[in-house]
Amino acid sequence: MSLLVVGSVALDDVETPFGRREGALGGAAVYFGIAASYFVDVRVVGVVGADFPQEHLDLLVSRGLDLSGLIVAPGRTFRWGGRYGYDLNARDTLYTELNVFADFDPEIPAEFRETEHVFLANIAPALQLKVLDQVAAPETASLDTMNYWIERTPKDLREVLGRVQIVLINDYETREIAGEPNLRKAARTILGWGPRLLVVKKGEHGAVTFGPNGAFAVPGLPLETIIDPTGAGDAFAGGFLGCIASTGDTSPEGLRRATIYGSAMGSFCCESFSIDRLASLEPAEIEDRFRSFRDLTQFDHRPLLVDV
Ligand code: AMP
């Protein structure tokens, strides 16, 4: 099984209360692809500039990512700068230098056009539609987006929402897209537009998956070490869709499992700057983390007040 991701490949300058990193390997397609690579073969479509370090390319290849769709264009790589305070759920974007990403026009290589699962990371909805036009009826198409597109291109966004089965966004985005402050009602509105599943990521507060069988919620794992949450949402998506692509299981049980693997990959992402931790995991560590989520959340109902 293969999973295609189309999105940003970046150099990030990140500052958190625990340190700073310049020119670090980042971008939505990178975090997503590395997280998913533990579960399935991953194909990347994106663009970098001539300044993109070879060591970053080597790292991606070492994780088994197929980079045939990653163009190296003349110019500079997309660069993003962000700063976090002690509330790691809130960050300031210091700058977004699109550079070669400004002219990104995704061309899906012929050998990628039949990929079974497609993830449209956070890019212009018009480009997400262009990707969908180039792939042959994938089993699942999924997307992420951000406030910039929700506010500037709502019509395109509605169109692409009608063509994907899975949406993975954060709680603010869910409320903003639906124009509805109540999360459950907002989810119902978005699911009414076509997608079968909506996964709402809530940073350190976990995630909720809404689907035809109701909602499944998982809390955030209280981590010992949190260094940098950049990319955690994309790593979540990589674990979630990697699990679904690997098992093909979208039953209620399968979705719960995918939500936990997604949460596990998101949690690892926060434990270091860039992809340092995410890219160097042993499969047993991922399974251990899955068990930690189970231990954190498992409980039985033994009625105390009245026998029901
Ligand atoms: P997240 O923390 O999940 O929002 O992902 C952060 C990653 O997204 C960083 O590595 C950035 O390089 C990348 N990023 C930030 N802004 C954008 C944007 N406007 N378009 C695409 N990728 C972005």
Side-chain angles (χ1 to χ4, degrees), residues 100-116:
V100 295
F101 200 48
D103 300 318
F104 182 48
D105 188 7
E107 172 88 26
I108 310 301
E111 66 273 23
F112 286 4
R113 293 190 176 193
E114 308 227 333
T115 308
E116 294 90 348

Side-chain angles (χ1 to χ4, degrees), residues 8 10 12 26-28 31 78 80 91 96 101 122 146 229-234:
S8 60
D12 289 345
Y31 284 107
F78 174 75
W80 175 80
R91 75 174 171 215
T96 302
F101 200 48
N122 166 32
M146 67 185 293
T230 305
D234 301 305

Side-chain angles (χ1 to χ4, degrees), residues 257-279:
R257 192 180 183 198
T259 306
I260 302 297
Y261 277 117
S263 303
M265 301 315 286
S267 74
F268 285 122
C269 183
C270 299
E271 291 182 340
S272 72
F273 280 106
S274 184
I275 46 66
D276 295 1
R277 178 87 169 111
L278 197 62

Side-chain angles (χ1 to χ4, degrees), residues 40-65:
V40 279
D41 293 335
V42 179
R43 300 164 164 185
V44 179
V45 169
V47 63
V48 292
D51 60 346
F52 194 71
Q54 182 63 39
E55 56 172 324
H56 290 349
L57 293 172
D58 294 344
L59 184 284
L60 297 173
V61 169
S62 78
R63 280 291 336 142
L65 271 58

Side-chain angles (χ1 to χ4, degrees), residues 68-293:
S68 336
L70 183 68
I71 309 282
V72 181
R76 299 186 67 217
T77 301
F78 174 75
R79 199 155 184 133
W80 175 80
R83 184 166 49 210
Y84 298 81
Y86 280 97
D87 175 2
L88 292 169
N89 280 320
R91 75 174 171 215
D92 293 324
T93 289
L94 302 177
Y95 45 84
T96 302
E97 292 172 10
L98 291 175
N99 299 328
V100 295
F101 200 48
D103 300 318
F104 182 48
D105 188 7
E107 172 88 26
I108 310 301
E111 66 273 23
F112 286 4
R113 293 190 176 193
E114 308 227 333
T115 308
E116 294 90 348
H117 300 272
V118 175
F119 178 63
L120 307 164
N122 166 32
I123 53 175
L127 295 183
Q128 294 179 324
L129 285 165
K130 262 183 133 168
V131 172
L132 291 180
D133 288 340
Q134 295 177 63
V135 292
E139 284 173 36
T140 67
S142 312
L143 70 76
D144 186 8
T145 193
M146 67 185 293
N147 59 345
Y148 186 90
W149 306 118
I150 298 169
E151 288 151 23
R152 283 175 179 73
T153 60
K155 220 168 131 266
D156 289 349
L157 183 58
R158 267 297 277 281
E159 189 179 340
V160 69
L161 282 170
R163 290 183 56 186
V164 298
Q165 292 75 46
I166 306 176
V167 177
L168 300 110
I169 49 181
N170 71 32
D171 41 353
Y172 302 104
E173 291 153 358
T174 303
R175 295 185 171 99
E176 194 177 5
I177 292 179
E180 163 60 57
N182 177 291
L183 202 60
R184 190 176 274 272
K185 288 184 186 163
R188 197 179 308 132
T189 300
I190 293 171
L191 292 176
W193 294 336
R196 230 171 58 79
L197 285 178
L198 169 67
V199 185
V200 180
K201 300 169 287 180
K202 299 170 74 175
E204 69 173 330
H205 303 300
V208 190
T209 300
F210 293 93
N213 297 92
F216 173 64
V218 55
L221 196 67
L223 293 170
E224 289 278 343
T225 312
I226 303 182
I227 303 288
D228 171 18
T230 305
D234 301 305
F236 178 105
F240 183 92
L241 294 172
C243 173
I244 287 184
S246 155
T247 61
D249 184 1
T250 53
S251 68
E253 199 42 54
L255 294 177
R256 285 174 181 238
R257 192 180 183 198
T259 306
I260 302 297
Y261 277 117
S263 303
M265 301 315 286
S267 74
F268 285 122
C269 183
C270 299
E271 291 182 340
S272 72
F273 280 106
S274 184
I275 46 66
D276 295 1
R277 178 87 169 111
L278 197 62
S280 57
L281 293 165
E282 293 297 330
E285 292 181 280
I286 301 174
E287 301 301 354
D288 269 351
R289 184 65 49 100
F290 191 111
R291 273 192 294 273
S292 302
F293 275 96

